[in-house]
Amino acid sequence: MARIDRATLRGRVQTVSGLIAPDQVGPALMHEHLLIDLNPPRLRAEAVGGAAGDITLCNCFDIRWGRTASPFNMRLDSRELAIAELRRMYAAGGRTLVDLTVGGLQPDPQGLAAIAAATGVQVVMGSGHYVQEYQDPALAGYRVEDFAMEIIGQVLEGAWGTEIRAGIIGEIGCQAPWTEQEKRVMRGAILAQAETGAALNVHPGRDADQPQEVATFVRAHGGPMERLIISHIDRTIFDDTRLLRLADTGCVVEFDLFGWEDSYYLPSDAVDMPNDAARLRMLRTLLDHGHGERILISQDICTRTRLNRYGGHGYDHIFSNIVPLMRRRGFDEREIDTILVRNPRRLLTFV
């Protein structure tokens, strides 16, 4: 497939199946993973193998709470399973899914294309790199310009050795504290955004002040704030002051852990994970302060125990359960449409 230019992208949405018109996006999940290996690279040699019997009704709770290690749980590598799960989402009303499995997480563009073809779901693929722990050691020698050219190529030519093109930049990984290499990746992503017109999604570190630090960094380096999406707000910010200050920067705030109802958050004991009702209260705070156009919601499914097949909520959860709950809690149809359709459509459309 030949390289395309920005003029070809402008005003269109780029899926793994090709370019589409923005009005084809429909209700969308903006932060998910269909195929991913979340096992840290240093442990992947020990994580080979695994069978469906590794997760049962008898051990799934212990796996979710980290009492039982399960490398199998941390890897989604079955196209057939993803197709079955995604068909449930489609039946519940979902039409588009953004897969942000990027460098270090074992991206599989051809797998995504096969899943999209089998389900009719518009799948948009991410580009760039996850946190430094997951990055190829060879990237230590990359300059900002090297990261920028790589991401530009993933959007305009094809990603991860294929001719399948990315339709968004990110999730670009940060830790707290932020490493110098991660900052170079971010600066490269901002340059790539200026060249391609794509939106930029960021995975912030697990510190309440890092989303604001990221927003300040992006603004200082010339990134368009209205095209910046900061993920995982519901495991990072827990007070209205920080939340509203972040939204006031003009960036888009993403609550993407819907369905994670356990208060225990395995990556950090310091986090008290909110439930879905608490997430909706945070959305209402933003809406009441005029920030409706800066809200996205999703589920960030990246482990098997969150799939229907293994007793989890599945990709359909927002459409099957959260949208009805929103209506019962006083969200009007325009607010729901803004969050699930209008905002994703605007952000996925190249400018």
Side-chain angles (χ1 to χ4, degrees):
M1 189 180 296
R3 183 184 177 97
I4 58 175
D5 57 24
R6 183 171 181 176
T8 301
L9 286 173
R10 188 174 289 118
R12 309 292 295 279
V13 174
Q14 184 154 257
T15 76
V16 296
S17 308
L19 294 171
I20 62 172
D23 61 8
Q24 293 180 261
V25 169
L29 299 177
M30 289 290 287
H31 194 132
E32 302 293 339
H33 302 275
L34 295 170
L35 300 169
I36 184 173
D37 192 345
L38 198 56
N39 290 289
R42 70 182 188 280
L43 300 178
R44 283 178 186 162
E46 304 171 18
V48 174
D54 286 354
I55 302 173
T56 70
L57 289 176
C58 297
N59 68 11
C60 61
F61 183 82
D62 285 348
I63 289 171
R64 289 201 307 271
W65 268 70
R67 292 175 58 191
T68 298
S70 175
F72 179 64
N73 183 47
M74 304 286 279
R75 184 189 301 112
L76 302 179
D77 58 1
S78 169
R79 297 183 186 183
E80 293 73 20
L81 177 59
I83 288 167
E85 296 281 328
L86 211 52
R87 282 175 174 161
R88 291 180 60 118
M89 187 201 84
Y90 191 92
R95 291 296 177 266
T96 295
L97 180 145
V98 178
D99 184 293
L100 294 179
T101 306
V102 295
L105 297 173
Q106 302 293 88
D108 182 356
Q110 292 175 331
L112 295 183
I115 293 165
T119 61
V121 173
Q122 305 285 1
V123 176
V124 176
M125 180 175 65
S127 57
H129 294 280
Y130 195 51
V131 297
Q132 185 171 342
E133 178 187 4
Y134 284 75
Q135 293 176 20
D136 188 322
L139 298 180
Y142 272 40
R143 302 168 302 155
V144 169
E145 295 76 15
D146 297 325
F147 286 117
M149 292 305 298
E150 180 185 45
I151 296 170
I152 291 167
Q154 290 169 349
V155 173
L156 300 183
E157 298 177 9
W160 317 117
T162 74
E163 295 183 340
I164 299 169
R165 302 185 182 105
I168 190 170
I169 299 171
E171 59 183 301
I172 301 299
C174 309
Q175 299 173 81
W178 209 353
T179 73
E180 290 304 314
Q181 183 164 317
E182 289 166 349
K183 290 179 181 179
R184 291 202 306 277
V185 176
M186 185 69 72
R187 289 174 60 196
I190 295 167
L191 291 176
Q193 185 179 29
E195 182 71 20
T196 63
L200 167 61
N201 185 295
V202 175
H203 164 106
R206 296 177 180 90
D207 179 273
D209 292 318
Q210 219 217 4
Q212 192 77 30
E213 181 182 356
V214 167
T216 300
F217 184 93
V218 171
R219 171 176 282 164
H221 288 86
M225 299 306 293
E226 73 279 4
R227 304 283 288 169
L228 170 65
I229 305 162
I230 302 186
S231 294
H232 313 323
I233 295 302
D234 37 350
R235 59 86 161 136
T236 313
I237 294 179
F238 305 103
D239 64 278
D240 291 351
T241 299
R242 281 188 176 90
L243 179 62
L244 293 172
R245 185 191 307 131
L246 181 63
D248 284 342
T249 68
C251 75
V252 178
V253 292
E254 184 176 85
F255 297 83
D256 49 36
L257 292 167
F258 272 89
W260 192 318
E261 295 271 41
D262 294 325
S263 60
Y264 180 66
Y265 179 57
L266 179 61
S268 174
D269 286 339
V271 171
D272 295 329
M273 184 68 78
N275 62 20
D276 285 347
R279 292 181 177 99
L280 291 184
R281 287 196 294 272
M282 288 189 277
L283 264 58
R284 174 49 60 196
T285 296
L286 288 166
L287 287 163
D288 289 347
H289 285 79
H291 291 307
E293 293 186 353
R294 300 189 179 109
I295 300 172
L296 294 174
I297 63 176
S298 204
Q299 297 145 155
D300 191 19
I301 292 177
C302 52
T303 60
R304 291 178 190 256
T305 51
R306 298 183 69 206
L307 298 174
N308 292 123
R309 168 67 177 80
Y310 295 98
H313 52 80
Y315 299 105
D316 66 297
H317 173 61
I318 282 177
F319 305 109
S320 297
N321 303 317
I322 298 304
V323 170
L325 180 60
M326 293 173 80
R327 292 184 177 123
R328 294 196 299 271
R329 299 217 166 186
F331 289 76
D332 64 39
E333 294 305 314
R334 179 172 178 81
E335 289 171 334
I336 295 170
D337 185 68
T338 295
I339 292 168
L340 282 172
V341 180
R342 293 160 62 90
N343 291 347
R345 182 172 61 206
R346 182 185 77 249
L347 290 159
L348 291 175
T349 301
F350 282 77
V351 297

